[in-house]
């Protein structure tokens, strides 16, 4: 069996993981192992991100991190961990400038300064970008290039970490599944960084890639770390719904709205956002939670579009302006029979980002010594609602911090401790599953059920009865894991990978659902129909833990 030994193990190679690898080396780590269940630098959300990256560069108008922080806290509806939010806003300009030195290609103004645009919830133009639909790919490519230049960063693709290993209460490494070979791999590490991204893939309608199923949260919980703010799943209000679009990003309408405004209309063709408290007039300023609420309520009231969303219309924008702003995309849309100058499209909310995650301090350290978390896997900075454009800087800033402090931690340890027999049960489990067995259902079928259940009962609007139904079913599905059918075979066996994805997804889903049931108020992305008001008594983040027997409990105050 393959056994690897490293100073720093980084689980997940998106923006946070790759930045963590660079920072770890810069801070003295001699050996870094960067693993990803997809291809390094090409899986997860970073490479999919569309457009805006917020940082108080003051390139367009006076700005400073304090103002960025004020906007972040306001968007977070009183629930941000202020220390983490401040770290995000203070470090973001340095990370953006460093990316510029690495030639990411931020769009620039005529005077050579980085161009910045306004985005919903920001009090001034603060969001930089590379090009339409190209910011995430450019960020990922730049980090891949930097990482690729450093020989002491070992990169391993197609390696899914299934279990973290602790020794004497400290992080000691991990057990992973080599997805191509179907074989277990053990990894001893002096420090581990979880940078495995978010969980939106556990919803039926999501903007996620295939590998955003909540693995990082499940790994952290099982290793003894705490999660915070798990109930806050951000739904992107204007995800594409109809007509059918193939090979295009479901959140592509965001940049259209930044540039051209666009009108949201209900099924009767009337604008409706103002009725829900939005003051947007022509420009795109309504925060995501409010827009999600307004659209869902219009549909519920029978005023939706034919496919169950609302209309997004650019019919009032002259064709020449559409072509000038989005020429090549307009041509691609035409191939799908969409002519924005003549007809609206239908949009509706989709799960897009997760505010919650591993509970960390400003060093990105969890309560398990040697275990750090960064990026979307980390919770707290964004409170109950993320400001648009804050997620990429969060990945870069928290990644840098996690790598730096993991390197400092590793520097204090003489050798990675891998006790005799460590991870043996996790290794045995991979082998048992790969032998195959008959069962009550396939993991793929249960993954499908999980996504439907979360969409129906734990979406943007929740109530006790639905959450309890979901919790009961999630627990039953977790108990049933040993009885699921696995196709025999090691090499490239999808049912083996599905089983581990399902196990992690069920744990993450239970954490979200239990936290949502515990929070008996409405705030930001968490709206309870049975508790519609925001209640000051709930103005603290809630913590989720897992007991030794696997029981998940939520609602303990931070
Ligand atoms: C379509 C889309 C558009 C977006 N647009 C924007 C935007 O314009 N601006 C903005 O600020 N934010 C945006 N976001 C959000 C932002 O992209 C993410 O929050 C951020 O990139 C997360 O970075 P990360 O490194 O934490 O995670 P990711 O980039 O998701 O990387 C996580 C990595 O971990 C790997 N992984 C997962 N589980 C395991 C495991 N068990 N073992 C090994 N590897 C594992 C995954 O394969 C993946 O490569 C967008 C998100 C999406 C989905």
């Amino acid at each position: 069996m393959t056994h690897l030994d490293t100073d720093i193990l980084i689980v997940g190679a998106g923006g946070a993981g790759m930045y963590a690898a660079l920072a770890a080396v810069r801070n003295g780590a001699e050996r870094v192992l960067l693993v990803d269940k997809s291809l390094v630098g090409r899986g997860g959300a970073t490479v999919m991100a569309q457009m805006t990256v917020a940082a108080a560069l003051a390139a367009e108008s006076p700005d400073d991190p304090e103002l960025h922080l004020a906007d972040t806290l306001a968007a977070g509806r009183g629930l941000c961990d202020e220390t983490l939010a401040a770290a995000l806003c203070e470090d973001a300009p340095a990370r953006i400038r460093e990316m510029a030195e690495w030639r990411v290609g931020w769009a620039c103004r005529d005077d050579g300064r980085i161009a910045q645009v306004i985005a919903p919830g920001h009090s001034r133009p603060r969001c930089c970008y590379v090009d339409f639909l190209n910011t995430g790919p450019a960020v990922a490519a730049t980090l891949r290039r930097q990482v690729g230049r450093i020989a002491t960063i070992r990169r391993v693709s197609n390696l899914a970490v299934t279990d973290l290993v602790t020794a004497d209460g400290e992080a000691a490494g991990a057990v992973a599944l080599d997805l191509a070979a179907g074989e277990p791999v053990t990894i001893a590490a002096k420090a581990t960084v979880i940078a495995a991204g978010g969980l939106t893939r556990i919803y039926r309608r999501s903007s996620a890639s295939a590998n955003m199923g909540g693995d990082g949260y499940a790994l952290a919980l099982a290793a003894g770390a705490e999660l915070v703010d798990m109930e806050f799943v951000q739904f992107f209000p204007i995800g594409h719904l109809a007509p059918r679009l193939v090979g295009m990003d479901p959140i592509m309408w965001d940049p259209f709205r930044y540039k051209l405004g666009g009108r949201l209309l209900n099924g009767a063709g009337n604008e409706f956002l103002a009725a829900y408290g939005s003051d947007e007039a022509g420009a795109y300023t309504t925060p995501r939670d409010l827009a999600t609420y307004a659209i869902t309520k219009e549909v519920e009231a029978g005023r939706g579009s034919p496919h169950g969303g609302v209309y997004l219309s650019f019919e009032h924008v002259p064709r020449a302006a559409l072509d000038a702003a989005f020429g090549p995309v307009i041509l691609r849309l035409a191939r799908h029979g969409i002519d924005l100058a003549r007809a609206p499209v239908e949009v509706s909310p989709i799960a897009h980002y997760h505010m919650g995650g591993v509970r960390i301090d400003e060093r990105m350290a969890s309560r398990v010594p040697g275990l750090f978390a960064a990026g979307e896997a980390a919770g707290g900075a964004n409170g109950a609602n993320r400001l648009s454009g804050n997620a990429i800087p969060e990945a870069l800033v928290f990644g840098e911090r996690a790598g730096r402090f993991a390197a400092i931690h590793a520097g204090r340890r003489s050798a990675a401790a891998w006790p005799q027999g460590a991870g043996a049960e996790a290794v045995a489990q991979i082998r048992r599953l790969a032998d195959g067995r008959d069962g009550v259902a396939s993991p793929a079928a249960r993954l499908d059920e999980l996504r439907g259940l979360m969409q129906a009962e734990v979406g943007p609007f929740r109530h006790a009865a639905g959450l309890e139904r979901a919790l009961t079913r999630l627990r039953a599905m977790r108990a049933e894991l040993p009885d699921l059918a696995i196709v025999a075979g090691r090499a490239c066996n999808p049912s083996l990978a599905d089983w581990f994805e399902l196990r992690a997804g069920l744990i993450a889903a239970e954490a979200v659902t239990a936290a949502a049931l515990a929070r008996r108020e409405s705030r930001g992305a968490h709206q309870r129909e049975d508790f519609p008001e925001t209640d000051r008594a709930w103005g603290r983040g809630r913590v989720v833990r897992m007991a030794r027997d696997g029981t998940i409990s939520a609602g303990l105050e931070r």
Side-chain angles (χ1 to χ4, degrees):
M1 186 177 67
T2 307
H3 177 75
L4 305 171
D5 199 298
T6 185
D7 291 340
I8 317 278
L9 166 64
I10 300 173
V11 183
M18 289 192 283
Y19 224 114
L22 295 169
V25 171
R26 201 146 69 184
N27 287 277
E30 286 170 8
R31 298 166 311 157
V32 174
L33 183 63
L34 178 61
V35 308
D36 201 289
K37 72 195 254 185
S38 172
L39 297 178
V40 165
R42 295 178 199 272
T46 305
V47 78
M48 300 172 75
Q50 276 204 320
M51 196 164 159
T52 59
V53 182
L57 300 172
E60 299 279 347
S61 63
D63 197 4
D64 68 51
E66 287 284 314
L67 296 169
H68 186 186
L69 176 61
D71 291 345
T72 300
L73 298 181
R77 306 289 193 274
L79 219 71
C80 296
D81 177 322
E82 291 198 22
T83 310
L84 293 178
L88 166 58
C89 299
E90 276 160 21
D91 290 7
R95 300 284 72 82
I96 296 308
R97 291 200 176 98
E98 188 159 54
M99 293 293 293
E101 284 164 26
W102 292 337
R103 298 179 185 278
V104 70
W106 300 127
C108 282
R109 298 159 21 127
D110 291 342
D111 63 7
R113 289 198 289 177
I114 293 174
Q116 294 194 282
V117 294
I118 189 94
H122 290 275
S123 54
R124 56 208 67 226
R126 185 181 287 138
C127 293
C128 42
Y129 56 96
V130 173
D131 190 5
F132 178 64
L133 297 185
N134 201 32
T135 297
V139 165
T142 303
L143 292 172
R144 280 201 308 270
R145 219 167 34 239
Q146 293 301 316
V147 163
R149 287 186 178 141
I150 301 176
T152 50
I153 302 177
R154 184 169 176 192
R155 293 159 287 157
V156 185
S157 295
N158 297 320
L159 194 63
V161 170
T162 59
D163 298 85
L164 296 181
V165 173
T166 54
D168 298 329
E170 283 204 38
V175 173
L177 168 66
D178 177 337
L179 291 167
E183 294 289 348
V185 172
T186 52
I187 306 164
K190 294 180 189 172
T192 299
V193 177
I194 299 179
L199 56 59
T200 45
R201 181 75 174 163
I202 63 176
Y203 285 87
R204 165 122 327 132
R205 252 180 81 65
S206 83
S207 62
S209 74
N211 37 21
M212 294 163 64
D215 291 20
Y217 311 119
L219 290 169
L221 260 191
E226 295 169 328
L227 306 181
V228 69
D229 296 343
M230 289 302 284
E231 60 272 44
F232 297 104
V233 180
Q234 184 170 67
F235 279 73
F236 177 78
I238 51 169
H240 186 81
L241 184 62
R244 191 155 180 260
L245 264 183
V246 179
M248 292 183 81
D249 188 331
I251 73 156
M252 61 175 285
W253 300 117
D254 223 16
F256 275 78
R257 292 213 77 207
Y258 287 133
K259 281 203 179 178
L260 302 170
R263 297 166 68 210
L264 278 176
L265 308 170
N266 65 17
N270 299 321
E271 285 184 285
F272 56 89
L273 287 176
Y276 297 89
S278 165
D279 56 5
E280 100 171 23
Y284 177 26
T285 54
T286 308
R288 286 176 177 171
D289 53 352
L290 185 80
T292 296
Y293 181 78
I295 293 169
T296 309
K297 287 295 161 193
E298 283 300 291
V299 174
E300 269 178 21
R303 295 190 290 269
S305 59
H307 292 85
V310 295
Y311 291 114
L312 174 61
S313 168
F314 297 95
E315 291 156 283
H316 58 292
V317 179
R319 188 179 290 280
L322 282 166
D323 287 343
F326 295 106
V329 186
I330 300 288
L331 288 177
R332 280 180 72 184
L333 289 172
R335 285 204 287 275
H336 289 87
I338 296 173
D339 181 350
L340 295 178
R342 294 171 65 108
V345 292
E346 288 178 61
V347 294
S348 78
I350 48 175
H352 179 54
Y353 173 85
H354 186 223
M355 271 71 75
V358 182
R359 187 181 181 200
I360 44 157
D361 62 17
E362 68 277 14
R363 297 171 307 125
M364 309 292 119
S366 74
R367 72 170 184 167
V368 179
L371 183 62
F372 298 78
E376 201 167 327
N382 296 290
N385 181 44
R386 170 178 68 98
L387 202 54
S388 58
N390 261 7
I392 295 281
E394 174 185 58
L396 307 182
V397 166
F398 288 9
E400 191 280 332
R401 284 184 174 232
R404 178 164 29 119
F405 289 108
I408 293 169
H409 179 92
R412 294 195 196 113
R413 295 184 66 183
S414 50
W418 189 258
Q420 187 74 23
E425 177 44 37
V427 167
Q429 181 159 55
I430 291 174
R431 292 200 167 126
R432 272 198 309 272
L433 290 170
D435 287 341
R437 63 181 183 215
D438 293 334
V440 292
S442 71
R446 288 294 183 258
L447 273 169
D448 190 53
E449 183 185 346
L450 166 66
R451 291 173 190 140
L453 183 69
M454 291 302 284
Q455 189 76 35
E457 309 282 27
V458 201
F461 300 98
R462 297 137 179 206
H463 52 76
L467 292 169
E468 273 158 10
R469 268 196 305 273
L471 212 46
T472 305
R473 184 62 194 136
L474 289 169
R475 286 178 178 150
M477 285 164 81
R478 193 142 74 96
E480 189 194 57
L481 280 168
D483 305 321
L484 293 184
I486 309 282
V487 178
R490 288 187 152 66
C492 301
N493 180 349
S495 77
L496 196 55
D498 284 348
W499 190 90
F500 283 105
E501 184 178 340
L502 176 65
R503 185 182 67 169
L506 287 171
I507 292 171
E510 194 174 326
V512 172
T513 310
L517 188 59
R519 181 170 287 280
R520 293 190 293 162
E521 64 148 3
S522 291
R523 187 186 293 263
H526 168 73
Q527 295 291 321
R528 287 280 300 254
E529 289 174 311
D530 42 356
F531 296 99
E533 304 299 327
T534 300
D535 182 345
R536 287 179 57 179
W538 290 89
R540 301 278 300 277
R542 295 316 228 227
V543 171
V544 174
R545 291 192 189 125
M546 183 188 270
R548 276 181 194 283
D549 66 357
T551 310
I552 292 172
S553 60
L556 307 159
E557 197 158 291
R558 175 162 69 199

